[in-house]
Each structure stands twice: as structure tokens, then as C-alpha cells.
Amino acid sequence: EWKLRFAQAHDALHSLRQALRCRSYLLKFKDRNLTGQGANTRAHAAAKGITAKIDAASARYNAAHTALTALAPAFKPSAWESSLQVLNPNDIRSMTDLLEGDTEGRRKFSWIWKVHGAAKDDSDRAGSLDTMRIEWCKARARVHRWQEEVKLLREEMRRTEAFLEWQADWWDNRTKPENITTSDKQTAESLVAYAKRQASLR
């Protein structure tokens, strides 16, 4: 009974990953290639069919996991829950999907893609490796882009600081007697105070 349920759980995960991968490819193909109401309607219908497969695979996995949880006290398997975890709704996503609140720089794969044996056969392994390679390339491109952004930001900060220093010196220079254009002492003191205030703000 344990071996049967254990195999059912892994088979369900395999089907779930395949369906998620198919949906991801379909949506990408639709966005890049399909135009017109008819083509989009057919793609939408196909996506609904894949979603039904995802729901069915998830239900099969949850049923097998529930059975394994009930059987575990009797069979006392070792560390089975590390590979067959509880399947939450947020776990049912492709490698490229982001959770709410996630960013491109802090993307986390669902555990269903990291579990031992995720690449069950050659086709699954090839698909997983291709997806991982694509995600790695995207991550590498993001790193390079962010490194460039950091360089630009540092240069912008340097220029801003240099400008503020120049502006502070300019206001300090306005406090010198030769730059006071009024003969009224009170007005001159006010101008000097204002210039010093502006210089201190820089």
C-alpha cells in the first residue's frame, strides 16, 4: 500500500510539472505569435484544458499525500516528507511564475521543481534543463543589467555631490564683502545670512 501511494504521488507530480510546462509554453506562444479573435479563442480553450489537467494532477497528488500521511505511523518511512511536501496553491506554478510580492531578483522556484527525481524521464529532464537554462540566462542578464545600473547610480551620485559642493562654494562666495551690492547694513546682513543658510543646505 505504501509503495503504491508513494508511486502515485510521484506520478501525479510528474503530470503536474508536465501540465505546468505545457501551459507556460502555450502562453508564451500565444503572446508571441497569435493574433485575431479566432486564434486567441482556440488558445484560450487549450489553456482551459491544460488547467483542468493541472487541477486533476493536484487532486491526485493531494489524495496520495493524505494516504501517505495516514500510513506513515505504521510503515515509519525515513524522511519521505522532504521529497513529498504538502502541496499548497502557491506551489502550483511554473518556474517562470512569480509569487505576489516577489521580484525578478528574488524569484523562488516552487518545491515541485527542486524535489529529488523531478526530472523523471528523458523528456521531463530535457524540458526541466531547458527551462532552467533559460532562467539562468535571464538571471545572468538581470545581474549584468543591475551591475550597470549600480555604476550609473554611483556616477550620478558623484556628479550630484560635486554639483552641490560647487553650489555651496558659490553661496559662500556670495557672503564676501566684495559681492555685497547694497550699502544698507541691515540688508547686507540679511543677504549674508541667507547665503550662508543656502550654503549649509548643500
Side-chain angles (χ1 to χ4, degrees):
E1 178 71 14
W2 175 267
K3 290 182 179 180
L4 174 63
R5 296 298 185 180
F6 193 80
Q8 285 178 344
H10 278 287
D11 285 342
L13 276 183
H14 172 66
S15 299
L16 177 59
R17 287 190 296 267
Q18 289 284 67
L20 287 170
R21 193 178 294 117
C22 286
R23 184 175 67 179
S24 179
Y25 290 161
L26 174 64
L27 293 177
K28 288 179 181 178
F29 181 83
K30 173 179 174 293
D31 292 340
R32 294 174 182 174
N33 301 288
L34 297 185
T35 57
Q37 183 176 355
N40 279 284
T41 299
R42 289 190 293 273
H44 182 69
K48 285 183 65 176
I50 295 173
T51 299
K53 292 181 179 180
I54 291 172
D55 293 340
S58 302
R60 289 201 310 274
Y61 175 83
N62 286 330
H65 188 275
T66 299
L68 289 171
T69 302
L71 292 169
F75 288 89
K76 295 182 173 58
S78 59
W80 69 276
E81 290 178 306
S82 62
S83 60
L84 296 176
Q85 303 177 31
V86 174
L87 185 65
N88 295 312
N90 286 339
D91 297 324
I92 306 172
R93 54 192 169 90
S94 69
M95 289 186 183
T96 57
D97 290 340
L98 288 174
L99 284 175
E100 184 177 356
D102 280 355
T103 63
E104 286 289 345
R106 297 185 180 275
R107 180 196 301 271
K108 294 181 180 179
F109 287 164
S110 169
W111 68 265
I112 66 175
W113 300 102
K114 297 184 289 185
V115 64
H116 178 70
K120 186 173 180 179
D121 53 30
D122 289 341
S123 62
D124 200 11
R125 185 178 297 108
S128 295
L129 288 176
D130 285 344
T131 304
M132 287 182 179
R133 288 190 186 105
I134 292 170
E135 288 304 307
W136 183 87
C137 290
K138 288 181 179 179
R140 187 170 184 268
R142 287 193 295 269
V143 168
H144 290 166
R145 184 170 68 249
W146 291 336
Q147 288 174 342
E148 184 67 21
E149 289 289 336
V150 169
K151 290 179 181 178
L152 292 174
L153 181 59
R154 286 176 176 170
E155 177 61 19
E156 185 177 349
M157 290 174 62
R158 186 194 67 79
R159 293 187 180 190
T160 300
E161 289 176 354
F163 172 75
L164 291 176
E165 288 176 0
W166 171 85
Q167 204 170 45
D169 290 340
W170 186 87
W171 280 109
D172 281 334
N173 191 53
R174 301 297 296 174
T175 65
K176 295 179 179 179
E178 61 268 25
N179 292 324
I180 303 299
T181 58
T182 180
S183 58
D184 183 73
K185 183 178 180 181
Q186 187 174 2
T187 302
E189 290 176 350
S190 298
L191 291 173
V192 169
Y194 179 79
K196 288 183 177 180
R197 172 63 176 168
Q198 291 300 316
S200 68
L201 293 175
R202 268 59 185 174

